[in-house]
Each structure stands twice: as structure tokens, then as C-alpha cells.
Amino acid sequence: MMGEFQVRTDLALEARESYGEDDIRIRGVRVEEEADQEREIHTTTVVIETENGAKAMGKPVGTYITIEAPNMSVPDENYHREISGEIAKHILALAGGRKHSVLVVGLGNREVTPDALGPNVVGNLHITRHLIREYGRKSSGMETSAEISAISPGVMAQTGMETLEIIKGVVEETKPETVIAIDALAARSTKRLNRTIQITDTGINPGSGVGNHRNAINSDTLGVPVLAIGIPTVVDAATIVNDTMEDLVEEMDRSVHMQKLGGTLGTLNQAEKHQMIRELISPHLNTMFVTPKDIDETVKYLSYTISEGLNMAFSGSGNLSEN
């Protein structure tokens, strides 16, 4: 018999929702919500304040900002620029204001479309470090810009090295004030695919959402503050099956006719039905992940959304004031 079915998710908001009731309070965890009805942007800030809260959530102590925007899945340039502004605002707040030097790390595999978000963001960034160091801020017209450098370290299958090893070497040589890691995430719900952005000051564990655990990239391992930006581009296939079967079980429990049609299923109690679902799910689907069919185009414009937000925050473009 299989143990309790574990849902894979990189989103702290979904880890919080797994407790069920919306008003449940978790000791050591603070939740704040803000809704912009006009732009249809909902922002949830989950602050894990204690180690007890971290243990309950399965996430490190820190701040997790989740921007949910249903229209983000539509290639509307004006709307995406508004999202970029939100990203810039939250990144500057977590970073403590505009920094002198920033290293942006595009995590992921450029050859696998759902995992290519990070490398694509790096390709769209306004890189300034070499220009400022060569010509100076005034001569290059970058008086308000940070020294922005970037790297796409690839994945272990391509390099034979841990991602952390590569980034650590770059950090030791270039000495940035802040590292910003960009990565594709795994979600618990299909409704959040390509419509949700998570920004956190806790760093990131590359591949954790899909079961490929690599060394953590955070302030402890790099020695400098590490912020992370991610968008869920895949969902665990077993999650979809589990959700569908649970809906079926609930409908059978409510309907006498469905119980009759269900045959043997109708004679099982709730616990027995859930146990059967868990056994059916494993092991055939627990290594399969699903992504939308238009992911190629979606990753392209979402990467522009993030890169524009970083350009606004650190290269002096846009009308953002320093926090």
C-alpha cells in the first residue's frame, strides 16, 4: 500500500493552501494579500518567520511574494509591462534598494522549452558591467545603472558540474552585491501555469519541483544575498489525475445515482477510495510532468516580462524610484 500522496510544488502559496481552510493560522507564518481589481493582479506575501513555520511549510525562513495575473498568459505588451513594473517594485524592496552590482543567473536547460525561462531572461537583459568598467558611468550614460552581469550555467548533464560550483566561482571572481536566480518552477495547480510569478529572498533549489535535487543556491552557499524569480511552467501529471479522481469521489459521495453507477467504488468509504487513487497513481505517473502546448511562445514573452522588470529595477530604465 502506498503512503500519503505528496504533491510537488515550488510555490510557497500552494504549500500554504495545502492546509485546507483559508483562515487557518500556521504558527510562525504570516500571510498578507493585496488585490488590484482593475488590472486583475492578486499579490500574496507569505512570510515564514520561524524555524517551526519553515518545518510546517517545507520552505526556508524568508519572504515569498506571489503575483497571480490570469491575463499574463495573453501576449499583451502593455499588460506585461505592468507586470514588469510589479516585478521591479518587489525585487527592489527585497534587495533593499538599487544595488551597485548584480549578477543574474539564468537557471535551466536551454534545449528543453519549459526549462528555458532562465536562459531566455539572460538573453534579453541589458548587460552593463563591461561598459561601465570600460568607459565609466558618466561616459556610458549609465549614471543610475547597476553593474549588471549574467550567466546561464546550464545543467549538470551538459557541463558535468554542479550549478552551484559554477556560480560560486563567478561570484568569487566578480564579487556582486546581489545574485538574482531565474528558474522555471513546478506548480500544484494547472490554473497557475504561466500565470503566476514567485519572488523570494531565500534563494532556490534547482530542479526540486520535478524531483531533481541539486545543491541550494542561497546566501549561505554563496556568501551574498540571493533573490529568486520563478514562473511555473509544468505541473505533475499525477496531480492532475489525483485532482480528477478526488472530484469523482466527491461526486459519488453526493449522488446516489453515481454510487450505483460506480459499482464496487460505491461500496468503498472515503479512506478506501483515496487509498485506491494513490495506488493507481504510483509508480506510472509520478515522474511525468505536463506543460501547455503553446509553451514555446509563452516562455519567450514571459522571459521578456521578467527581463524588463530587472532592467527597470537595476539598469535605470522606467520611472521607478529607489526603495
Side-chain angles (χ1 to χ4, degrees), residues 28-29 46-55 57-64 200-203 218-220:
V29 178
V46 177
V47 183
I48 302 177
E49 301 174 319
T50 67
E51 291 299 331
N52 286 336
K55 185 177 180 180
M57 293 282 290
K59 304 286 181 185
V61 171
T63 300
Y64 300 81
T200 177
D201 60 2
T202 63
N218 55 35
S219 58
D220 291 334

Side-chain angles (χ1 to χ4, degrees), residues 191-310:
K191 71 179 182 180
R192 290 197 168 99
L193 288 180
N194 304 324
R195 297 178 177 89
T196 304
I197 301 172
Q198 177 173 271
I199 306 171
T200 177
D201 60 2
T202 63
I204 199 166
N205 286 77
S208 60
V210 295
N212 297 329
H213 296 282
R214 303 262 69 91
N215 289 335
I217 299 169
N218 55 35
S219 58
D220 291 334
T221 56
L222 293 182
V224 296
V226 180
L227 308 182
I229 304 174
I231 294 177
T233 59
V234 298
V235 65
D236 191 345
T239 296
I240 299 175
V241 176
N242 182 69
D243 290 348
T244 303
M245 292 296 289
E246 284 190 344
D247 289 341
L248 177 61
V249 168
E250 290 177 4
E251 185 61 30
M252 285 182 171
D253 287 340
R254 287 194 297 264
S255 172
V256 175
H257 298 293
M258 287 293 288
Q259 287 178 356
K260 291 179 180 179
L261 289 173
T264 303
L265 263 180
T267 66
L268 301 178
N269 61 35
Q270 187 77 3
E272 289 171 334
K273 290 173 185 174
H274 281 275
Q275 186 59 48
M276 186 190 67
I277 291 171
R278 297 183 185 115
E279 289 180 349
L280 289 173
I281 288 174
S282 178
H284 307 293
L285 290 177
N286 61 4
T287 59
M288 185 180 294
F289 290 83
V290 180
T291 193
K293 65 179 181 179
D294 59 348
I295 192 64
D296 303 71
E297 187 67 22
T298 302
V299 164
K300 286 181 182 178
Y301 62 73
L302 289 180
S303 67
Y304 278 110
T305 303
I306 295 178
S307 61
E308 182 64 15
L310 293 176

Side-chain angles (χ1 to χ4, degrees), residues 104-106 110 116-127 150-152 182 300 303-304 307-308 310-311:
V104 178
V105 179
R110 193 186 298 274
L117 180 70
N120 283 1
V121 169
V122 165
N124 298 327
L125 277 176
H126 184 201
I127 304 299
I151 182 175
S152 298
I182 316 295
K300 286 181 182 178
S303 67
Y304 278 110
S307 61
E308 182 64 15
L310 293 176
N311 289 335

Side-chain angles (χ1 to χ4, degrees), residues 95-112:
R98 189 164 284 148
K99 296 300 179 181
H100 175 75
S101 60
V102 176
L103 170 64
V104 178
V105 179
L107 299 170
N109 187 344
R110 193 186 298 274
E111 306 302 321
V112 179

Side-chain angles (χ1 to χ4, degrees), residues 125-231:
L125 277 176
H126 184 201
I127 304 299
T128 61
R129 182 176 183 270
H130 61 305
L131 297 174
I132 292 174
R133 296 207 164 201
E134 180 72 22
Y135 304 107
R137 293 181 184 277
K138 189 171 182 180
S139 297
S140 58
M142 299 179 184
E143 292 90 340
T144 62
S145 176
E147 291 184 3
I148 302 175
S149 56
I151 182 175
S152 298
V155 295
M156 183 180 284
Q158 297 170 322
T159 65
M161 294 177 282
E162 278 280 357
T163 304
L164 175 63
E165 294 175 328
I166 299 172
I167 300 171
K168 196 168 185 178
V170 174
V171 169
E172 289 175 354
E173 287 295 322
T174 62
K175 297 178 172 56
E177 286 184 308
T178 301
V179 172
I180 300 178
I182 316 295
D183 200 9
L185 306 178
R188 163 68 175 82
S189 170
T190 55
K191 71 179 182 180
R192 290 197 168 99
L193 288 180
N194 304 324
R195 297 178 177 89
T196 304
I197 301 172
Q198 177 173 271
I199 306 171
T200 177
D201 60 2
T202 63
I204 199 166
N205 286 77
S208 60
V210 295
N212 297 329
H213 296 282
R214 303 262 69 91
N215 289 335
I217 299 169
N218 55 35
S219 58
D220 291 334
T221 56
L222 293 182
V224 296
V226 180
L227 308 182
I229 304 174
I231 294 177

Side-chain angles (χ1 to χ4, degrees), residues 72-85:
M72 199 168 72
S73 60
V74 179
D76 182 333
E77 290 186 11
N78 291 330
Y79 186 75
H80 278 260
R81 185 166 179 80
E82 291 181 350
I83 300 297
S84 296

